Structures are given as structure tokens and as C-alpha cells.
Amino acid sequence: MAKVIAVANQKGGVGKTTSSVNLAASLAVLEKQVLLIDADPQGNATSGLGFNLSELQGRTIYECLAGEKSIKEVMLPTEIAGLSLCPSDINLVGAEVELIEMDNREMVLSKLINEVRDMFDYIIIDCSPSLGLITVNSLTAADSVIIPVQCQYYALEGLGKLLATIKLIQRRLNTALQIEGFLLTMFDSRVSLSHQVEEEVRGRFQDMVFSTVVNQNIRLAEAPSYGKPAILYDASCKGASDYMAVAGEIVNRNR
């Protein structure tokens, strides 16, 4: 039975999709069966795994949320054994409007995921950079949430609103939802600001912060333009090893 982990932060540019893609890939390399659900209309996780958004032809998470297809019908195999993708494209924008009209609108994704839970060890959801209805669906469907926090100015900006949303969902929709951890991204050991942000985040959230930090890394930044996770693009790069370490932390936490 899969553990469902949402990767969420409504603040853009924090490494959310990079984390989703590379954690999913790293977990698969650790011989876990993994499904990555791209729940972001930008479709960056989909293109980051080498798929052309214009060629998906009605086989995306949008069709699933609209009740036209099951996740099994749209899942795609990837270059990494054990990693499957439920893709997304810009049509997902329309799902926000369509979901409003549905009964139990916050539970639609949860019901879809329940149909494939027994096929995987982990299901990773790359949430959109907003706190809209699709993100609420993702958090309602999840067992836990990873919150990426970039080691730059305004790192904690917006976190209060996200945490308030998580608490609301815990009270009303998903009492089992937990915070898997805060993941420090874009860390630059040469810059004092990175160390200051790390100290502040660890001081505030303590054991809820992953031990591993994800370092700024040019190979990690280049990988999506080649449609590959870092572990395939350059397995020796620091970014790939950082995400392998985070994946190891996740597996150890969930033994």
C-alpha cells in the first residue's frame, strides 16, 4: 500500500517540481515502485521526465479529475525502472472550475489514488504553486506533505498561510495528514545567508527539517531542459546525491 506524499508550497521558485521529480526518481533507484502525479497545470514535472506536453492527447490528470479516465489509463512508464508518471498539461487549469460543481469536490483525487495505491510503494504529488482546489485535493489525498524552503531571501514568506491551510485540512478533510518534513533547497555553502536561513528554519521547525540540504548545483538546474532527473543526467553531481540522501531519509522514516 503506497504512502502518498504531496510536495507543496504556494510560493514559486522554491524547488518544488525539482524536488518532486528527483525524489520520485531517487526512490525508484532505491528499488521502490513509484508514481509521480503532476498536479501542476504548467506540466513541468511531465516535461522534466522527457514527455512532450503537446503529444499527450487527452491522457493527463485533467481527464482523471473530470471523470473521463482512471489514473491507470493515463499512467506512462519513464526511463527509470519502477517510476511511472501521471502527466499534466495546461488543460488542468479548467479542473479548478469543474471541481467546484462536483459533490465532495475535495475528495476527487483521493478516490482516484485509492484505485492504484496497492500498485506502488510511494505516490508523489507535485502540487501547483497555489492553494487552490487542486492543491486542496492533493493534500486531502496525501498521507504527508514535504515543504521545500529555499535558502534565499524571504524563505519563510507565505509559509504561515500554507501551514494554516494544512491545519484546516487536518481538521476538516484529512485528520491523518502529517508534515513529512521541511526540505531546504538552493543551499550555497559559500553564502552566509544560506547558513542563516538554515539556522532559522531548523530553529523554528527542529526535527521536522530533513537532515539533508539540497545544494545549488548547475547540473541539477540543467537536467529538466534535457527531460531527465539529475540521477540520469549526471549521477555523480551533487544535486543527484543530495536527492538520493533525502530519499534515503524518507525510506528510513517509513520502515
Side-chain angles (χ1 to χ4, degrees):
M1 184 72 76
K3 177 162 191 179
V4 182
I5 304 175
V7 182
N9 192 326
Q10 82 278 14
K11 189 173 185 291
V14 301
K16 178 184 57 61
T17 296
T18 297
S19 296
S20 298
V21 169
N22 286 286
L23 283 176
S26 296
L27 287 165
V29 169
L30 292 175
E31 300 185 336
K32 303 299 181 183
Q33 293 297 311
V34 184
L35 173 65
L36 175 60
I37 296 177
D38 189 350
D40 184 345
Q42 296 175 87
N44 290 335
T46 299
S47 59
L49 284 174
F51 295 94
N52 187 330
L53 301 185
S54 65
E55 296 177 357
L56 295 173
Q57 300 177 333
R59 291 185 59 192
T60 72
I61 188 63
Y62 167 74
E63 282 74 28
C64 298
L65 292 171
E68 298 171 11
K69 285 184 168 65
S70 68
I71 286 180
K72 286 180 184 178
E73 291 177 290
V74 305
M75 281 190 323
L76 299 169
T78 70
E79 286 187 81
I80 296 182
L83 175 60
S84 299
L85 171 73
C86 179
S88 175
D89 63 13
I90 193 62
N91 289 326
L92 187 59
V93 170
E96 289 275 357
V97 177
E98 294 178 31
L99 284 170
I100 292 173
E101 305 297 325
M102 295 184 183
D103 294 330
N104 298 315
R105 59 191 181 186
E106 300 90 355
M107 308 293 293
V108 177
L109 184 57
S110 181
K111 291 176 181 176
L112 289 165
I113 286 175
N114 284 340
E115 295 176 7
V116 296
R117 262 191 188 251
D118 60 354
M119 297 172 59
F120 299 96
D121 298 305
Y122 291 94
I123 296 175
I124 308 295
I125 308 174
D126 182 31
C127 298
S128 61
S130 73
L131 294 178
L133 197 47
I134 294 173
T135 298
V136 169
N137 259 264
S138 299
L139 293 173
T140 302
D143 298 307
S144 65
V145 54
I146 291 174
I147 303 171
V149 181
Q150 83 280 29
C151 294
Q152 297 177 2
Y153 284 113
Y154 309 119
L156 303 181
E157 186 181 71
L159 270 189
K161 190 172 182 181
L162 174 60
L163 293 172
T165 299
I166 290 171
K167 287 180 181 176
L168 185 65
I169 288 171
Q170 287 171 328
R171 284 201 309 270
R172 299 187 180 179
L173 296 167
N174 182 3
T175 57
L177 180 65
Q178 298 179 329
I179 294 178
E180 187 76 24
F182 293 83
L183 178 61
L184 292 161
T185 63
M186 305 178 194
F187 184 86
D188 188 341
S189 61
R190 303 164 299 176
V191 177
S192 60
L193 177 63
S194 285
H195 295 281
Q196 291 168 9
V197 171
E198 180 183 17
E199 185 177 342
E200 183 174 1
V201 173
R202 291 195 188 281
R204 182 176 298 192
F205 299 111
Q206 300 179 2
D207 292 344
M208 297 170 72
V209 184
F210 285 98
S211 297
T212 306
V213 299
V214 178
N215 291 268
Q216 272 193 337
N217 178 252
I218 187 63
R219 305 296 277 174
L220 181 64
E222 288 173 349
S225 65
Y226 290 86
K228 296 179 183 293
I231 198 74
L232 283 185
Y233 181 61
D234 184 354
S236 66
C237 76
K238 183 62 175 167
S241 61
D242 287 342
Y243 277 110
M244 282 298 297
V246 178
E249 286 191 55
I250 291 170
V251 171
N252 288 333
R253 289 181 182 191
N254 293 282
R255 287 190 186 281

